[in-house]
Amino acid sequence: MRKIDFESELNDEQHAAVTAPDGPVLVIAAAGTGKTRTLVYRVAYLVEQGIDPQRLLLLTFTNRAAGEMLERAQELVGGSVSGIWGGTFHHMANRLLRRHGDLLGYGREYTILDQDDAKRLMRDCVRDLKLADKHFPKPEVLLSLSGLASSMARGMEEVAAERFEHTAIDVTDIAKVHRRYTGRKRELNAMDFDDLLMNGLRLFREHPPVLEKYRNRFLHTLVDEYQDTNHVQAEWVDLIAGPQGNLLVVGDDFQSIYSWRGADFKNIITFPDRYPGTRIYKLETNYRSVPEILEVANACIAGNPEQFQKTLRAVREPCQKPVLSVMRDGQEQARYVIEQTERLRAAGYKTSEIVVLYRSHYQALDLQLELARRRMPYVITSGVRFFEQAHIKDVCALPRVLNNPGDELAFRRLLSLWPRVGDRTASKLWRQAGHRCDLRKPVMRENLEARLPAPAREAWQTVATIAGDYDRDELSDDPGEIIHRFVKGFYDLYAVETFDNYDRRMEDIQELINYSARFETVDAFLSEIALQTNLDAEADPVIGTAEKEALRLSTVHQAKGLEWRVVFVLWLNDGLFPVSRALVDGSESEERRLFYVALTRAKDELYLCAPRVRRTRDGGVNMLEPSRFIREIDPGLLNEQTVHVFM
C-alpha cells in the first residue's frame, strides 16, 4: 500500500472533508467540484488510519458508481479495500435480508420479482378481485403508485387519490388490489424491488439486536448523492449510523431534482438538525466550467430559499459569456441550434461534445423535425423519437382510418385500445368488415358496433360521434380537432389508466395537436408525419455506425451527472421552463435547481434560447415571456442577441 500525500493530491476543501474527524459529516459538493474524488480519498484515508475495510459501508445509487469508487480506492491503497460493503441501497438491503429475512417471515431463499413477474402478479390480483372489466389502472401504473407510496412512506389510497383525483376510478379498489398483491407476494415468498428497501427498514425497526449488530460492525458509513434519498433510505441510514455514529454524507442540495419519484429535499437540508454537532464542508472549487458560465449559475440559484449557500469558483481561464438568444418561435429556434452546431463543428468541436437540453420531452419536436429534414444524425437520450411513441401513434390511428378506410394497421391499433379487444379480435373484425372500414358511413359504424364486445361499446361511442361529424363539421380540414375530441372523449382516461408518466404523455399529445395547426387537411398532416418518420429511419443506419458524431438531445433530468463542452437550453419561457404547474403547486424552487443543473453541464460554451411565440391548436400564437430564471440574472453576465435565421 503506497503512502498517500493527501495534502498535495487534494485541494484545501477536499482535504478538509477527506480528513474530517469522526462524527456526523455533511459534505456539500457543488457541481464539478470533485465529489467522487473526495469520497474515494475518504475511503483511502480511513483505511490508512487503520480502519478495517470490512467495517466500512459505502452506499450509492447505482452499482456502477459503487464499482467505480471501489476500483479507484483500490488503485490508491491496493487490494486491502476489497472487503468494503459497497453498493446500492437495494443491494445492501438484499444482503441483510438474505441473512435475516426469516425474522420478517420470509424464507432466506425468497425470490426477487423482476418487472415482468411483478406486472403479471399484479394483473392476476386485479382479475381475482373481478376488476379487470372496469375502468381500472394497468399493472404498470399500479406498480408505479406502489413504489411511490413506499418511497414516500405514505398510504397507497392517499397516493392513488392524488393521481386519480379527476377521474371516476375508485381508489378503495386500488387499495384492495394493493393488499391482495402484498398478500400474494407473501404466499410466494417473494419481494419486488420496493419491498427490499421497506423490509430492510422493517428489519432494523422491529429487531433491535440485528440493528445493534450492524451498528457495531460498521465503524463508518458513507453515502453518495444524499440529496436524492427518499424517506425510507434516509431513515435506514439514520438507524444504521445511530445518533452518535460516524456518518459522512455527500450531496448537493442545489441539484435535488427528483421529488416526483420520491426523493425528499428535506433529508439533506435537515441533516444538521438530526445530527447535532455536524461538521459541514463545502466543495466550491469547480474544475469543469469556465468562469462566465459559473457566474450565471451562481446568479441563477442564489435566491432559492432553504439551501446551503455556496458560490462556485472557477479554476479555468476566462472564455466568453453565455449567449441569450431571442428568436421568433420553435422553428426558428431549431434552425438556430443547427446553424450554431455547424459553426461549432467548423471551429473544431465534435458533434458528440454538444448537447441540446430541454425541460420536457415534447419541447424537442421542432428540432427533431428540422434535423430529420436535413438528415443530420441525432440521438434522443430522453426517450423515443417523437412520432414513434406509442401514445402519439395511438391518437393518430383515428384520423388515419377516417382518411383512409383501407388502413388496416391503423384500424387494428385503434380497436386494440378498447376493453376486451386485442389484436386477434381486431384482425377478425377487419376481415368481417371486408378489409375496408369507412367509419363515415352510418351502416359501417352500426355493423362494427354490433360485433364489439360489450365492454368496448361505451368507448366506441366517442369514435362513432367523431366519425359522424367528420364531413358535417369539416373535420377533414382539422386534424387537431379530431385528436382533441378523441382525447377528451376517450384517450385521456385510457392514458391515466395505462401510463405511469401520464402527465408527460399528455404534454406530448398537446404538442402534436399544436403542430397539426400547420396543416390544412388531415391528409397533409398524416403525410408529413409519415415522411418525418421515414427520414428518421433513413438516418438510423448513419447513427448506428457513427453514434459518437450524432447530436445529443436530452431532458435536463436525464443529463444530470454528465457534462459537455457546449450546451444549448431550449424554450426558456415562463410556463415551459419553469413549467406552469410549478408556478401553482409551489415547486418553483425545484424548477430553479433543475435550471441550475442544466447550466452546470456546460464546460466551454452555453446558449440559452427564448422564443417569443408558440403556435396554438387554432392556428394562432401565444406570446411568451422569457423565463423568470433568465430575468433574475444580471443582463451584464449574458451576451444577448436577437436571432433571425433564414435557411
Side-chain angles (χ1 to χ4, degrees):
M1 172 173 151
R2 76 175 179 90
K3 185 70 173 176
I4 303 171
D5 186 347
F6 290 95
E7 195 164 356
S8 66
E9 295 184 28
L10 301 167
N11 67 31
D12 291 343
E13 298 165 348
Q14 295 167 345
H15 182 263
V18 164
T19 59
D22 290 354
V25 176
L26 173 59
V27 181
I28 302 296
T33 58
K35 169 183 68 70
T36 300
R37 181 178 183 84
T38 301
L39 263 177
V40 168
Y41 272 81
R42 175 65 173 180
V43 170
Y45 176 78
L46 292 173
V47 172
E48 193 172 272
Q49 295 301 302
I51 303 296
D52 184 344
Q54 296 188 48
R55 304 193 71 180
L56 299 179
L57 175 63
L58 173 63
L59 295 167
T60 64
F61 274 82
T62 66
N63 283 318
R64 178 180 178 181
E68 178 188 350
M69 289 183 195
L70 294 177
E71 183 178 328
R72 288 171 62 176
Q74 191 165 352
E75 290 174 1
L76 282 176
V77 299
S80 59
V81 299
S82 59
I84 291 177
W85 279 45
T88 65
F89 286 89
H90 292 87
H91 176 81
M92 290 298 114
N94 179 54
R95 193 166 178 178
L96 294 176
L97 290 167
R98 290 296 179 190
R99 301 182 178 197
H100 308 285
D102 56 315
L103 296 174
L104 300 179
Y106 288 91
R108 296 186 185 181
E109 72 286 358
Y110 63 82
T111 298
I112 300 175
L113 300 177
D114 61 22
Q115 279 294 101
D116 186 60
D117 289 336
K119 283 191 290 188
R120 188 168 301 180
L121 182 58
M122 185 68 82
R123 187 178 294 113
D124 290 344
C125 294
V126 173
R127 190 179 299 117
D128 292 344
L129 294 172
K130 298 181 171 52
L131 296 169
D133 292 335
K134 297 176 61 176
H135 281 299
F136 205 71
K138 299 290 191 295
E140 296 89 336
V141 176
L142 294 171
L143 288 169
S144 175
L145 289 173
S146 177
L148 189 60
S150 175
S151 67
M152 300 177 74
R154 296 169 63 192
M156 181 66 160
E157 193 165 333
E158 179 187 358
V159 172
E162 289 182 4
R163 169 66 184 273
F164 301 112
E165 181 180 4
H166 302 296
T167 73
I169 295 171
D170 188 343
V171 296
T172 60
D173 285 340
I174 293 177
K176 289 177 186 175
V177 171
H178 183 63
R179 288 193 293 272
R180 174 74 175 172
Y181 175 66
T182 301
R184 288 289 292 130
K185 287 186 291 183
R186 279 284 194 171
E187 294 171 7
L188 297 171
N189 192 31
M191 299 185 203
D192 63 21
F193 208 52
D194 297 311
D195 291 328
L196 292 174
L197 290 184
M198 279 305 303
N199 286 328
L201 180 57
R202 282 185 56 215
L203 182 66
F204 284 166
R205 279 178 177 172
E206 299 172 12
H207 298 278
V210 176
L211 173 59
E212 194 62 28
K213 172 182 178 180
Y214 288 99
R215 274 186 180 172
N216 292 332
R217 174 180 183 127
F218 297 120
L219 295 179
H220 287 266
T221 300
L222 303 92
V223 185
D224 187 24
E225 300 285 11
Y226 190 72
Q227 79 280 347
D228 293 335
T229 54
N230 60 36
H231 177 87
V232 174
Q233 291 163 330
E235 184 178 348
W236 194 83
V237 169
D238 287 348
L239 286 173
I240 200 167
Q244 306 301 323
N246 298 320
L247 173 61
L248 181 144
V249 301
V250 180
D252 183 6
D253 54 309
F254 285 7
Q255 298 186 71
S256 179
I257 59 173
Y258 294 118
S259 64
W260 49 275
R261 67 184 190 194
D264 192 343
F265 176 70
K266 292 180 180 178
N267 290 340
I268 191 168
I269 289 297
T270 64
F271 186 87
D273 300 326
R274 301 198 317 276
Y275 287 90
T278 294
R279 290 180 172 84
I280 301 176
Y281 299 89
K282 295 180 181 179
L283 307 185
E284 300 174 284
T285 303
N286 179 283
Y287 295 90
R288 176 186 298 159
S289 306
V290 296
E292 293 84 354
I293 290 174
L294 298 186
E295 287 178 357
V296 171
N298 288 330
C300 143
I301 201 68
N304 246 12
E306 286 191 289
Q307 60 185 19
F308 295 103
Q309 293 296 347
K310 50 191 173 293
T311 302
L312 288 168
R313 296 187 302 271
V315 298
R316 296 184 57 192
E317 293 296 316
C319 186
Q320 66 180 40
K321 292 180 181 179
V323 177
L324 170 59
S325 301
V326 180
M327 61 279 294
R328 173 175 167 75
D329 56 19
Q331 291 173 291
E332 190 164 52
Q333 177 179 243
R335 292 192 291 268
Y336 169 74
V337 169
I338 292 172
E339 178 187 77
Q340 294 303 310
T341 298
E342 291 176 340
R343 179 187 63 79
L344 289 162
R345 290 178 62 185
Y349 285 96
K350 297 179 181 178
T351 311
S352 58
E353 297 174 322
I354 304 170
V355 72
V356 182
L357 302 180
Y358 34 86
R359 171 61 179 84
S360 302
H361 187 66
Y362 72 89
Q363 293 170 357
L365 174 58
D366 284 313
L367 181 57
Q368 289 186 54
L369 293 172
E370 193 65 30
L371 288 167
R373 288 192 190 101
R374 297 167 185 275
R375 290 176 169 76
M376 289 181 64
Y378 67 97
V379 174
I380 299 281
T381 59
S382 57
V384 180
R385 295 184 181 203
F386 190 85
F387 294 118
E388 297 171 2
Q389 299 174 107
H391 52 290
I392 297 298
K393 289 186 173 183
D394 287 347
V395 298
C396 287
L398 178 56
R400 281 177 58 181
V401 174
L402 291 171
N403 185 64
N404 176 13
D407 191 336
E408 178 185 357
L409 295 178
F411 176 89
R412 284 162 49 192
R413 186 176 196 103
L414 177 65
L415 265 66
S416 294
L417 300 175
W418 310 137
R420 303 290 295 275
V421 180
D423 190 61
R424 182 178 300 178
T425 301
S427 297
K428 179 181 177 181
L429 292 169
W430 177 255
R431 292 193 299 271
Q432 291 174 342
H435 300 278
R436 182 178 176 81
C437 187
D438 190 345
L439 296 178
R440 291 173 291 181
K441 295 180 179 179
V443 65
M444 182 64 76
R445 295 198 299 271
E446 292 166 5
N447 289 340
L448 184 56
E449 181 180 3
R451 296 188 179 106
L452 287 172
R457 289 175 188 166
E458 179 184 351
W460 169 252
Q461 293 308 312
T462 295
V463 167
T465 300
I466 294 171
D469 292 342
Y470 189 74
D471 294 320
R472 181 170 57 252
D473 291 356
E474 298 183 341
L475 294 182
S476 61
D477 298 335
D478 196 347
E481 180 65 16
I482 296 173
I483 297 172
H484 172 71
R485 293 189 189 185
F486 179 61
V487 171
K488 183 178 179 181
F490 167 74
Y491 197 80
D492 185 75
L493 179 57
Y494 173 87
V496 167
E497 297 174 350
T498 303
F499 303 119
D500 60 2
N501 55 352
Y502 160 82
D503 289 338
R504 202 215 82 184
R505 292 179 189 255
M506 296 311 293
E507 288 175 343
D508 287 345
I509 291 171
Q510 185 57 53
E511 188 66 14
L512 176 72
I513 293 172
N514 294 342
Y515 170 71
S516 73
R518 304 176 188 180
F519 305 94
E520 295 182 355
T521 66
V522 170
D523 185 63
F525 168 68
L526 295 173
S527 295
E528 183 63 19
I529 289 177
L531 288 170
Q532 293 296 337
T533 305
N534 279 286
L535 287 172
D536 280 345
E538 288 179 12
D540 278 344
V542 178
I543 294 172
T545 56
E547 186 170 322
K548 289 184 178 179
E549 282 309 303
L551 184 64
R552 262 62 178 174
L553 279 58
S554 175
T555 62
V556 183
H557 281 107
Q558 290 284 341
K560 182 175 176 290
L562 304 175
E563 60 184 44
W564 291 267
R565 291 186 66 189
V566 182
V567 170
F568 291 87
V569 188
L570 305 185
W571 289 111
L572 284 167
N573 305 93
D574 273 359
L576 298 172
F577 199 165
V579 293
S580 297
R581 63 178 176 272
L583 306 180
V584 177
D585 66 14
S587 58
E588 182 182 325
S589 294
E590 182 159 329
E591 289 287 298
R592 190 175 284 102
R593 294 195 292 269
L594 189 63
F595 181 51
Y596 172 86
V597 168
L599 300 179
T600 53
R601 300 312 93 199
K603 298 165 68 176
D604 300 344
E605 300 189 35
L606 175 64
Y607 297 84
L608 308 175
C609 301
R612 288 192 293 260
V613 301
R614 187 162 178 258
R615 297 183 185 277
T616 59
R617 183 171 67 88
D618 60 7
V621 294
N622 279 336
M623 300 304 296
L624 301 174
E625 286 288 327
S627 171
R628 62 194 58 202
F629 301 154
I630 291 177
R631 302 199 303 269
E632 292 167 354
I633 297 169
D634 183 343
L637 299 178
L638 298 170
N639 177 14
E640 182 172 349
Q641 59 183 27
T642 301
V643 174
H644 297 288
V645 183
F646 302 101
M647 297 175 67

